[in-house]
Amino acid sequence: MKIIIVGGVAGGATAAARIRRNDETAEIVLVERGQYISFANCGLPYHISGIIEEREQLLVTSEEAFKERYRVDVRSRTEAIGIDRKARTMRLRNLATGDETDEPYDKLLLSPGAEPVRPKLPGIDSSRIFGLRNIPDLDRIMAHLKEHNPRRAVVIGGGFIGIEVAENLHDKGIFTTLVEGADQILTPLDYGMAAIVHSHMRDKNVELYLNDKVEQFEEKDDHTVVYLGSGRRLQADLVVLAIGVRPETTLARAANLELGSTGGIKVNGHLQTSDPDIYAVGDAIEVTQTISGQQVLIPLAGPANRQGRMAADNIIFGNSKVYRGTQGTSILKAFDLAAATTGLNEKQLNAAGIPFLSCITHSGSHASYYPGAKQISLKLLFTDKGQILGAQAVGADGADKRIDVIATAIHGNLKVEDLADLELAYAPPFGSAKDPINIAGYVATNILNGSHDMIEWKELRASLGAKDPEMQLIDVRTAEEFGFGSIPTARNIDVNHLRERLDELDPNKAVILFCQIGLRGYLAYRILTQHGFTQVRNLSGGYKSYSWAVEKQANPDIFDYEDIKRRSPQEVEAERSGSCAVSAAMVAPGTTGELHTLNAVGLQCPGPIMKTYKAMEALDAGELLEVTASDPAFGCDIRAWAKKTGNDLLSVKAEKGLVIVLLRKVATAPVATAAAPVEKDKLTLVVFSDDLDKVMASMIIANGALAMGKPVSLFFTFWGLDVIRRVDAPHLNKPMMDRMFSTMLPSDADHLNTISKMDMHGLGAKMIRKVMHDKGVETPGNLLHSLVEGGAQLIACQMSMDVMGIQKEELIDGVDIGGVAAFLGEAGESGTTLFI
């Protein structure tokens, strides 16, 4: 039997070796368009930073070695350009000579892989723009790094390759920006889980743009300008495209092989195409998702290897095996975190129409009393019958082990109750007596048996936005924790004192409970439900999950390109290591020179903050404290804590799963007296109107205040919301009344269509806009952009948004959502408040 295999790497090379092991007589021809028949493409990004030191380590085997061991006719640098299915021949072109030949076959195996998406954008052919799919791509990037020594890189795409490339460029000391068109990176994760990685990237000082797409590139003498849809322009010495891949189906389409609904090659359970003599494997085929039963594209190396092995057996032994589908288990190293997933996420379950329940738990990677325990955040998705639909794990240590256990449980049709009963290896350095898997099983089982009713962060945020007067939101943490920050409108009742304070709650109204991670909330839930409260729910994942998800996810505009160009490599390394911040602080005015250290590794939140608070209390003004913690939320928490307490936060860095911060104790500020009032220099404007002249007045006043160095806040309410609507607002499904409002109202700041006096049915607005243009007056849109760029705070009134039928997605970037409390808070800090 003569078998031609098109494509090497995972599927093709595996199949060739398997065929030879099963049949010494088979004639095997392996055709590979590239120079390398088998290489570790998943390891390519790690050679950029030098973690994988030698390029040759990425070459799994050479053409010569493969020929010698398996006696395969390997033809690299040869392209398969056509299949004559009737004659059972394949046309091959030698890329070195251009010669073409027809090669007969008995069986054909297609493993062409996937091709990177490269959109036809202006300027995309710049010599500074690269992809990373194979060894030649890597060689071009490495040559550019060596020859040009780039200082700033922009990575386009927040998928697996994009994150890995960004991490390795950052580790090489290059200031790195990541641009993602969606509202989150790592789409296999749900938003709330991806938010943990966003926070970690902020701690790493990676510039992160979300909900922003590249529109074009412009080549300059010494850099490339990346134009984003938001109007931002990024300077880059190196750009890497990692937008995604699509199945390589050119050969299959030309041969009239059937393609599936996903665009991949359609195969049956034996991995045969619509031609029974042609098999296909790897990234080019569509597969059955084992849980949903739907056809999907899952370009992963593990499934490609298994498919290659199975196709080889079916070719030799006559369709003896059936491919059961792909579960989609994957893991990514995202800087110091691992982000792992198996099965389906919320978006996929909703798309498939599968009802589900979920829970989030935060546990230690091993026993908390043994040094070095790090947090694992685990999300479990399941049906009301207990079937496990999917799981996600994010953590610096142990996420891989836990997701593999759940992947095995799904494969073996175990239920969430079985997770609680699993007997897993335990010793203090490796795990806990109650493993995070067991904990997730306990929580999910309690949900199913009705002993624990939970609420997700998204639902709670929506309820807060609706200002439900019947809802009682109770923070059951300690008073000290509550003082460090809580969910707006929450009341604090420590769970230890809840039984004595039951009379403060109305048993006939809904009660939402939360603590730090969910455990104390569950204890409070059990207390209330046994005292006659019937409408009680506990926040899944606690305050930790909520705060991660609702805080600002992006990390834009943190780099100054001119400053980057001035820095020496030594300065960059000093800053990354943290020594620069310590050295600068030691000699800065107001510092006594005393440096203290605090080890909070292994403590779960709020442990690190509480320990930091006590340590700072013991310091004298001007002394420094360096705190090391393993809680991934510590970087976010310490920023809020320092702002609240008035202490100086000098640096935050994340290394190897630890967050290291440098603080300086500030003397308590003296209380202001009547004779020496605190000067309030802030300007707050309430923009109630969408009349062009009134809006212009507010924009001009606000920009003028910014130019004078004053902080500025603008609170947009009712018709004022029209000012901050975005031009390219997405199409949203709205109730009829909301759609009517959208049709009648101006679409954005530059389309305001009335003035307060002499409007003349809209003619007045056109006249004044013409005069403004002739006299060089900035448009409202440009003035609004200047406010955003200048750092003004823009707040949209949630209640007014609900009334006017305007959703957050329709507003420009940089707008916060708030209520009257947000306005009053800003007004309280303001010297001047104007209502326009």
Side-chain angles (χ1 to χ4, degrees), residues 180-420:
E180 168 57 49
D183 63 354
Q184 69 168 83
I185 60 174
L186 300 176
T187 54
L189 297 178
D190 289 324
Y191 184 90
M193 297 295 283
I196 304 173
V197 186
H198 296 164
S199 178
H200 181 57
M201 292 179 72
R202 292 195 295 273
D203 287 343
K204 284 289 189 180
N205 288 322
V206 173
E207 195 173 59
L208 179 61
Y209 291 84
L210 299 172
N211 270 324
D212 216 346
K213 295 184 178 180
V214 177
E215 293 191 337
Q216 67 174 4
F217 304 94
E218 182 181 2
E219 188 83 349
K220 299 289 187 180
D221 290 340
D222 63 345
H223 65 274
T224 294
V225 180
V226 183
Y227 288 78
L228 303 184
S230 62
R232 288 185 169 94
R233 300 180 183 184
L234 308 177
Q235 296 187 43
D237 308 312
L238 169 71
V239 179
V240 180
L241 296 177
I243 301 173
V245 297
R246 54 180 164 234
E248 173 55 85
T249 58
T250 304
L251 195 62
R253 286 199 308 271
N256 290 320
L257 296 177
E258 187 176 353
L259 302 183
S261 58
T262 65
I265 301 171
K266 188 172 185 178
V267 295
N268 63 16
H270 303 297
L271 299 172
Q272 285 174 299
T273 68
S274 53
D275 185 322
D277 291 322
I278 303 177
Y279 293 73
V281 300
D283 297 355
I285 70 171
E286 69 172 23
V287 296
T288 301
Q289 209 291 328
T290 55
I291 298 170
S292 69
Q294 296 184 336
Q295 297 303 298
V296 293
L297 298 171
I298 303 181
L300 295 172
N305 273 284
R306 292 193 294 278
Q307 293 159 13
R309 179 185 175 92
M310 185 175 291
D313 287 354
N314 286 338
I315 288 172
I316 297 300
F317 301 121
N319 292 342
S320 60
K321 295 184 177 180
V322 175
Y323 187 65
R324 293 172 59 182
T326 302
Q327 196 167 298
T329 304
S330 61
I331 189 168
L332 166 77
K333 181 180 181 294
F335 294 85
D336 300 332
L337 296 180
T341 180
T342 189
L344 300 175
N345 60 26
E346 285 189 0
K347 294 181 287 293
Q348 293 164 334
L349 289 168
N350 286 327
I354 301 175
F356 65 93
L357 302 167
S358 70
C359 62
I360 298 176
T361 55
H362 305 289
S363 307
S365 57
H366 60 245
S368 59
Y369 57 81
Y370 186 88
K374 295 177 177 131
Q375 179 185 285
I376 298 174
S377 298
L378 183 60
K379 180 170 186 177
L380 194 62
L381 302 110
F382 49 96
T383 68
D384 59 2
K385 303 298 182 183
Q387 178 193 358
I388 306 171
L389 300 172
Q392 299 154 40
V394 177
D397 183 29
D400 52 345
K401 169 183 173 180
R402 274 70 185 198
I403 215 70
D404 282 344
V405 170
I406 297 178
T408 305
I410 293 175
H411 188 79
N413 294 316
L414 299 186
K415 295 190 174 183
V416 294
E417 295 94 331
D418 298 313
L419 297 182

Side-chain angles (χ1 to χ4, degrees), residues 70 89 103 108 132 139 183 241 257 268 320 384 391 427 435 509 511 547 599 626 629 634 674 685 688 706 736 743 794:
Y70 296 107
T89 62
E103 193 77 30
L108 178 61
L132 184 58
D139 290 341
D183 63 354
L241 296 177
L257 296 177
N268 63 16
S320 60
D384 59 2
D435 191 85
K509 293 182 179 180
V511 179
S547 58
N599 185 354
E626 186 178 69
F634 186 58
L685 296 97
F688 176 83
L706 275 181
M736 182 182 69
T743 303
L794 277 58

Side-chain angles (χ1 to χ4, degrees), residues 690-749:
D690 66 358
D691 288 340
L692 176 60
D693 48 342
K694 294 179 180 177
V695 170
M696 284 294 296
S698 64
M699 297 293 106
I700 292 170
I701 293 169
N703 274 281
L706 275 181
M708 295 171 64
K710 294 177 181 287
V712 174
S713 292
L714 294 95
F715 189 78
F716 295 88
T717 181
F718 285 98
W719 285 269
L721 292 170
D722 298 336
V723 180
I724 51 175
R725 295 177 71 183
R726 61 189 307 148
V727 181
D728 56 344
H731 176 74
L732 301 170
N733 292 324
K734 295 183 177 183
M736 182 182 69
M737 188 66 70
D738 290 357
R739 289 200 304 272
M740 290 175 59
F741 266 113
S742 295
T743 303
M744 294 184 292
L745 296 174
S747 59
D748 61 272

Side-chain angles (χ1 to χ4, degrees), residues 149-154 170 173-177 205-207 209 222-223 234-238 557-573 575-576:
N149 190 30
R151 304 301 306 278
R152 177 166 179 177
V154 174
H170 173 272
I174 298 173
F175 293 86
T176 304
T177 297
N205 288 322
V206 173
E207 195 173 59
Y209 291 84
D222 63 345
H223 65 274
L234 308 177
Q235 296 187 43
D237 308 312
L238 169 71
D557 302 322
I558 66 171
F559 293 150
D560 181 338
Y561 187 70
E562 295 304 318
D563 180 53
I564 289 172
K565 289 197 296 184
R566 288 191 295 268
R567 299 190 193 188
S568 68
Q570 293 77 14
E571 289 175 315
V572 172
E573 180 57 33
E575 181 172 304
R576 290 181 65 248

Side-chain angles (χ1 to χ4, degrees), residues 56 81 110 125 146 191 284 291 298 327 351 370 392 397 426 457 502 518 609 644 660 663 684 707 719 745 807:
E56 285 64 32
I81 58 175
L110 302 179
D125 295 326
K146 182 178 180 180
Y191 184 90
I291 298 170
I298 303 181
Q327 196 167 298
Y370 186 88
Q392 299 154 40
D397 183 29
Y426 161 61
W457 68 267
L502 291 176
I609 282 289
K644 186 176 184 65
I660 304 167
L663 295 155
T684 298
W719 285 269
L745 296 174
Q807 299 182 21

